[in-house]
Every structure is written in structure tokens, then in C-alpha cells.
Amino acid sequence: MAKLLESWHAPCIKSTGIRGVEIRKMRKRTSLIHIILAIIVGLPLASLSWAAHINTTPTKSKSKKISETQHTRRRLHHLARTRRAAVTPVSVTTHRRRYYERFSMSSFADDITNGDITAGEDPTVRQAAIDALGNMNGTVVAIEPTSGRVLAMVNQKLALSSGAQPCSTIKLSVALAALNEGLISKDTPVALGARYHMNLTTALAHSNNAYFEALGRELGFEKVAYYAHQYGLGELAGYDIPGEQEGTYPEEVIPTKLGGVGKMCSFGEGISMTPLQLGAMVSAIANGGTLYYLQHPTTPEEVANFQPRVKRQLDIAPLIPEISDGMAGAVQYGTARSLRLNFNEEEILGKTGTCSRAGTRFGWFASYANTNAGRVVVVVFLEGGRPTFGPKAAEIAGRMYRNMYDHNFFMAGPAAPADQATAKSDTVTQ
């Protein structure tokens, strides 16, 4: 009888399984007579496989599952609260340390002209530079590009020092090197990503670092260094100027961890350039390729007997139109557009630079005024903290050009026709 009952219930158990829903179906199919027969035979109810599953499996599994789920949830909530409490303050602190750069040098200074030798300088240009610089910690150098004469040098101690990292002004040297090697023209698109290209004019105007890093890697250190030395870096720019230092240019490429040749060509990493060196290079661009020794007359007699001294001729005359659009674009719509807040009567071409090192921020701006009456080169170099940067140097240059213009330094003339205005940058004023 027991075997008969087990065999009778086996199909039911196999077909339905042991689950809560199926068990209820089994209960409906089980009649009272089956239980009575099991009692008569003496078969314990618990020995029946379907009864054993009914009494034990579903209830035990369900309670265990609920218990484990509640424990897991409590544990996860506790873990989340603990991590939030521990992680949030550290993240905020780390973010602030990365974002805020600390500077130890002030952007402002008093009596920066003390000790300057001024007897041989142009009084109009010097006063314009002093008024424009104000109390900013920096120097202004004005040069006549067709002779190499220093018209004014405000804060001569800083102007004649060992210099500083050239920041993005080094891009002028790199651009001329790449043009000389035939790697690019002003319109050549250089790939900066899978779908991103840029030409020289835009890269100079907006001072794009990735563009010039790509050029530097393509040129290699040997060629980059060769052309930099040709344009006057790493050597004295002046002729017999007491106290002038020559800056530094590395003899080998800087380590890869510092950026290698790419950073040398975008930020001037590892290079120290003086305001006089930058002024001499921009003067060569302004006059068509003659690199003059800069001379700083100290007496009226030296001014009267002044004779230009040529250091060397640079083969850059065909390349100057290629970089002129980018230098003009920097002033018109790029990184140096703050110059136009104060002056827009004449065409100004220039290049800014901003970077920092060892708690000091540097702001550079080198430019020349391309006027009908001639050209003048203005270099502004600032050092200090957060208020110091390239666009600020461009703004100071704009004030200086304004002051000179208002004191008739530039002889006003009729506006040039469109075709002549385009070709004006090719004209060499001797």
C-alpha cells in the first residue's frame, strides 16, 4: 500500500516540482481517503516525499532568503555612509590643490625705474612706456627695428637680467623653423586629432599648444635648436650693453617627463630668454630679415654718432608674409585682442605668452607697429602672480601705442587702399 501511494503521487511530484504554487495544486488533488489509507497501513505522513517538501522546504528557503536580503541591504547602506563620510572631504581638498596655483612674487612694484640710464633714450617713447606700465612688476623695451637702436628701456635691471621662460613667444621661432624646412605653409592643415585640423594662422592667433608641439616633434631637437640660435637665442642680443645677460638654451633635449621637444616648442620649457633677445628677433621679422645688434645709447653724443651694427642676415624674407597673418590675427581676434581696448588706429602684429615657474607667473607680449611712417618694436615682460599674464602685457602695449600716437610719434597719413594694405607687410623699411 505504501508503495502504491508513493507511485500514485510520484507523477504529481515530478510534474509540478516542489514550489509554493505547485504544492497548493497537489493539496487540491489529495483527498481525505488517501490520508486515511496511509494511517491504516501505518505509513508516517512525513515519509511521503510530497508531505516532507510541504512541511519543510518552502518555508525554510523563504525565511532564509528574506533574512539574507535584509542583512545585505543594511550592510550596503552602512558601507555607503562610511565611504561618503571618508571620501568627500579628501576629494574637495585635492580639487582645490590642483586648481589653485600659489604664487610667491607680487605682480606690483614701486620705483622700478630707479637706476635707469635715460640720457640717450627717446623721451616721448620712454614716458609713454612708463605711463603704460604703471605699477606693474615688469619691463618695457622699445626698439627701432631698422637700426637696432633701443629707444627706451624701462626697468633696466629686469630687462638686462638672465631672462625667463619664453612661454608661447617661442612659437615665433618654431614657426619660422618649420616654414624654413618646408614642413608647412600658413594654410597647411596639421592634424591634431582624428577629426581636428589647424593651420599656422589660426595656431599663432590663438596660441595653440598642440599645434606647435606637433611641429616640434616633426622638426626634432637638432633643427629646433639650430634655428633658435640663428634667431639670437642663447647669445647676447646687445652690443656692449653693460650688465646684459644672455639667457640659456639647453644643449640637449629636455627629458620626456618634462615634455621633451614638444614642450620646448609650445611653452619654451627648459629655455631662458631675455626681453632683448625677443626684441631683436621680432625686429628681424619687422625689417625683413636683418638681425641687428641692439644698442642702447647713454648720452646725446652717442645718439648723434649712432651707427647700426648687423649681426647676421636671416633668410626669412619669403617667410614673413606666412606668419604675419597669424601675428595680426592675435591682435585682431586672438590672445592679444586686449591691445585693441586702447589702440586700433594702426596695424599691430604680435604674439603673447603666459606660463609660470617656481611660484612666479610670466606674461610676455612682443609686437611691432606696421605704420606708414615706419615701424617700432615693443616688448612687454611682466612677472608676478595671478594678475600677470600675456593678455595683460598686450593691454599695456596698447596703452603705450596710444600714448605715442597721441604725442605724434606716428605721423598720420591717408589710409592705404586695400591691395596696398595687404602688401604692406612685405615692404622692408631700410
Side-chain angles (χ1 to χ4, degrees), residues 58-71:
T59 306
K60 186 174 181 181
S61 175
K62 184 177 181 181
S63 62
K64 182 178 179 182
K65 183 176 181 181
I66 293 173
S67 176
E68 289 180 354
T69 302
Q70 290 175 347
H71 176 73

Side-chain angles (χ1 to χ4, degrees), residues 1 5 31-43 45:
M1 182 65 73
L5 288 171
S31 63
L32 182 59
I33 188 61
H34 299 140
I35 299 175
I36 294 172
L37 287 173
I39 295 172
I40 293 172
V41 174
L43 182 66
L45 292 177

Side-chain angles (χ1 to χ4, degrees), residues 120-384:
E121 295 186 356
D122 185 303
T124 301
V125 177
R126 179 172 179 81
Q127 191 58 51
I130 292 173
D131 293 343
L133 187 59
N135 65 342
M136 294 295 293
N137 184 9
T139 181
V140 178
V141 179
I143 303 166
E144 186 177 59
T146 55
S147 67
R149 177 192 168 190
V150 177
L151 301 174
M153 183 162 45
V154 177
N155 193 357
Q156 294 171 12
K157 296 185 293 295
L158 181 57
L160 300 175
S161 68
S162 59
Q165 186 173 332
C167 310
S168 291
T169 59
I170 196 66
K171 293 170 182 173
L172 293 175
S173 171
V174 177
L176 289 172
L179 289 167
N180 225 320
E181 288 294 312
L183 292 181
I184 57 167
S185 68
K186 68 177 182 179
D187 298 319
T188 303
V190 173
L192 304 181
R195 301 181 180 179
Y196 185 48
H197 297 75
M198 182 175 290
N199 60 29
L200 177 61
T201 299
T202 304
L204 279 173
H206 294 290
S207 196
N208 186 274
N209 296 323
Y211 178 93
F212 286 95
E213 288 179 14
L215 288 189
R217 288 190 292 267
E218 183 71 20
L219 285 167
F221 173 76
E222 297 298 331
K223 291 181 179 179
V224 169
Y226 169 78
Y227 285 106
H229 287 297
Q230 284 292 302
Y231 304 148
L233 274 66
E235 63 186 25
L236 293 176
Y239 182 85
D240 196 22
I241 299 179
E244 182 195 2
Q245 300 183 48
E246 62 183 14
T248 58
Y249 198 94
E251 296 181 357
E252 58 185 16
V253 64
I254 63 174
T256 304
K257 66 180 182 180
L258 297 179
V261 68
K263 290 295 183 184
M264 293 181 70
C265 294
S266 60
F267 282 102
E269 190 74 34
I271 304 169
S272 180
M273 182 178 67
T274 70
L276 294 189
Q277 289 171 342
L278 181 57
M281 180 173 63
V282 174
S283 294
I285 295 173
N287 66 36
T290 302
L291 185 65
Y292 285 102
Y293 281 104
L294 300 187
Q295 299 182 72
H296 183 230
T298 57
T299 65
E301 290 75 23
E302 290 182 3
V303 175
N305 298 321
F306 184 87
Q307 293 292 328
R309 295 179 179 269
V310 177
K311 181 183 286 188
R312 54 181 167 267
Q313 292 289 339
L314 305 177
D315 188 20
I316 62 172
L319 312 178
I320 293 174
E322 298 290 302
I323 66 171
S324 294
D325 287 348
M327 296 177 69
V331 176
Q332 292 171 7
Y333 56 83
T335 57
R337 60 187 180 276
S338 56
L339 182 147
R340 293 171 59 83
L341 296 173
N342 299 293
F343 185 73
N344 55 19
E345 281 77 7
E346 300 287 351
E347 182 185 31
I348 307 294
L349 296 84
K351 182 72 191 76
T352 59
T354 305
C355 58
S356 58
R357 173 170 293 279
T360 302
R361 176 181 276 182
F362 307 120
W364 292 90
F365 181 63
S367 64
Y368 68 92
N370 192 18
T371 72
N372 293 327
R375 302 179 183 185
V376 59
V377 170
V378 173
V379 175
V380 180
F381 170 59
L382 306 174
E383 59 180 8

